[in-house]
Amino acid sequence: MKKVIAPVLLIAAVAVSACQPLSPQDRSNLGLLGGAGAGLLLADAFNANPQWTILATVAGAAVGTQVARNTQTGQCAYSNGDGTYYVSACR
């Protein structure tokens, strides 16, 4: 049952995001949720021990919040890692 919950939550989050335009905070939260879910699924796929599973989930959440996208201009803000951001065309 535990292995079914994470993919269901990830699919539900993506489905909800498709229904309406999202605020920047909502996009950040969705990135956090999606990244954490991806990290959890990846750790599960490699049969990682609990410590590595936690680390992969936290790392996925961190990566998921690093990119912000402006849908009107097609530009993205990328983190420099020191608390500042730079804006360029989305990749």
Side-chain angles (χ1 to χ4, degrees):
M1 182 70 180
K2 179 182 169 185
K3 293 183 180 185
V4 175
I5 293 173
V8 169
L9 288 175
L10 184 61
I11 291 168
V14 172
V16 168
S17 70
C19 296
Q20 60 188 4
L22 298 174
S23 70
Q25 182 64 41
D26 290 340
R27 282 193 197 109
S28 179
N29 290 341
L30 186 60
L32 181 129
L33 180 64
L40 179 64
L41 291 174
L42 186 63
D44 189 46
F46 285 107
N47 295 321
N49 65 28
Q51 291 82 15
W52 280 106
T53 300
I54 291 169
L55 181 66
T57 303
V58 170
V63 169
T65 60
Q66 291 300 308
V67 177
R69 182 183 189 109
N70 185 334
T71 55
Q72 293 179 348
T73 64
Q75 292 185 323
C76 292
Y78 298 96
S79 174
N80 288 324
D82 60 359
T84 61
Y85 295 89
Y86 68 95
V87 177
S88 69
C90 295
R91 299 178 208 162

